[in-house]
Amino acid sequence: SFKPEAVRLLQAHVNQLIEEIQPHSVNFLDPVCHGVMSPVTQVLLEKGAQPVVQKAQVIDLSVSQRELYRNMAKSCRGWVEWGRRNLEIDVISGESFESSVLQHAEALSINKDSFSDDRMTYAALIAQGNGFLVQGRYKGELVSSSLFVHTEKTCHHVFMDKLINSPDRPVLHALIWQAMLHGKSKNCNQFDFGSTAIIDANNTVPSKHELAAAGFGGESHARLRVTIER
C-alpha cells in the first residue's frame, strides 16, 4: 500500500515535471501491482490521458533450466529445437551493439533514424550493458533479431523482427529461448514479454509458426498503458 503523504508528494512532482517540460506526449506503463493503480496513472488520467488495457506474459526464471524448458508448450519446444539446429544465434551487447543495429537497419531497408524514440532509448541502455540483442542467421543470412533490456531482477522483451529474406520457418522461438537463458545468467528472476507485436516483413498474414508468448510458459498479467498526446 502507498502512504498518503508519499502519494501526494509523488503526484505533485509528476505534475510539476509535466508543467515544466511541456512534453508533446507522455507514455506510461502501469503494472497495476496487486490490482492497485499507480498514483502516476491517476495524475495522467486527470490530465486527459487515454488508458488501454494490455496483456503481458511473465515467466519465472528462478526455476531450473530443465523446468523452464518443460514449462513450454510441446509445439514451442519443437520450434525452439528447429532454431537451435538450423540457426546461428548470437547474443550482442555493449560496444558491439551499435554496429549490429546499423546492420540490422540496413537489412530491413530502413534508416537508423526510423527507429522510434523508445527503441533508441533502449539501444542506449544496451550499449551501456543493460540489455542485449539476439540475432539469428539462416544459411549465413541474417533473418531474425530480438531486443531485450534488463534490470537487476527482470529481463524485458522490447521487440522482435523477421527480416524480408526470412524463410517460412520458426526463426524467432530459439532467439527468445536464448534470451531467457541469458537473462537467467544475469541473475534476473523474471522474463517479461510485455505486449510486443511481431514485425513480419514477408507477409501480413499470420504464419503457422507465429510466436505466441503463452507457449513459453509463465502467467498472464493485465497492465494499463496510459498515453497523453498534445
Side-chain angles (χ1 to χ4, degrees), residues 80-153:
V80 166
E81 289 305 317
W82 184 92
R84 293 175 67 185
R85 290 193 306 270
N86 294 278
L87 299 177
E88 299 171 35
I89 300 175
D90 295 313
V91 178
I92 301 161
S93 62
E95 295 179 356
S96 61
F97 175 73
E98 183 67 18
S99 61
S100 295
V101 168
L102 292 173
Q103 178 187 12
H104 183 53
E106 182 179 351
L108 282 170
S109 299
I110 62 176
N111 188 285
K112 181 183 173 184
D113 294 336
S114 69
F115 280 92
S116 69
D117 291 340
D118 283 347
R119 288 192 182 188
M120 295 311 295
T121 299
Y122 290 130
L125 289 172
I126 292 171
Q128 295 166 9
N130 295 318
F132 55 96
L133 181 74
V134 184
Q135 293 185 326
R137 286 178 169 76
Y138 181 67
K139 297 182 178 179
E141 296 290 330
L142 182 65
V143 295
S144 55
S145 201
S146 201
L147 185 67
F148 307 84
V149 296
H150 57 80
T151 62
E152 292 182 358
K153 295 183 178 181

Side-chain angles (χ1 to χ4, degrees), residues 202-222:
N202 277 335
N203 200 334
T204 57
V205 178
S207 164
K208 63 182 179 179
H209 304 303
E210 181 181 4
L211 190 148
F216 288 85
E219 297 180 349
S220 179
H221 294 259

Side-chain angles (χ1 to χ4, degrees), residues 14-50:
V14 171
N15 263 311
Q16 181 182 353
L17 285 175
I18 293 175
E19 292 304 318
E20 289 180 355
I21 299 174
Q22 292 291 314
H24 293 295
S25 65
V26 178
N27 198 329
F28 177 67
L29 183 62
D30 186 345
V32 195
C33 295
H34 306 293
V36 179
M37 187 170 63
S38 166
V40 176
T41 297
Q42 296 176 27
V43 171
L44 297 177
L45 290 176
E46 290 172 1
K47 291 184 173 294
Q50 297 296 315

Side-chain angles (χ1 to χ4, degrees), residues 47-100:
K47 291 184 173 294
Q50 297 296 315
V52 176
V53 177
Q54 296 183 336
K55 186 173 71 171
Q57 196 76 10
V58 178
I59 297 170
D60 182 5
L61 295 181
S62 67
V63 301
S64 67
Q65 180 175 331
R66 177 183 174 85
E67 187 172 350
L68 269 179
Y69 188 81
R70 289 171 61 88
N71 287 342
M72 291 192 294
K74 182 178 180 181
S75 58
C76 188
R77 291 198 300 267
W79 291 337
V80 166
E81 289 305 317
W82 184 92
R84 293 175 67 185
R85 290 193 306 270
N86 294 278
L87 299 177
E88 299 171 35
I89 300 175
D90 295 313
V91 178
I92 301 161
S93 62
E95 295 179 356
S96 61
F97 175 73
E98 183 67 18
S99 61
S100 295

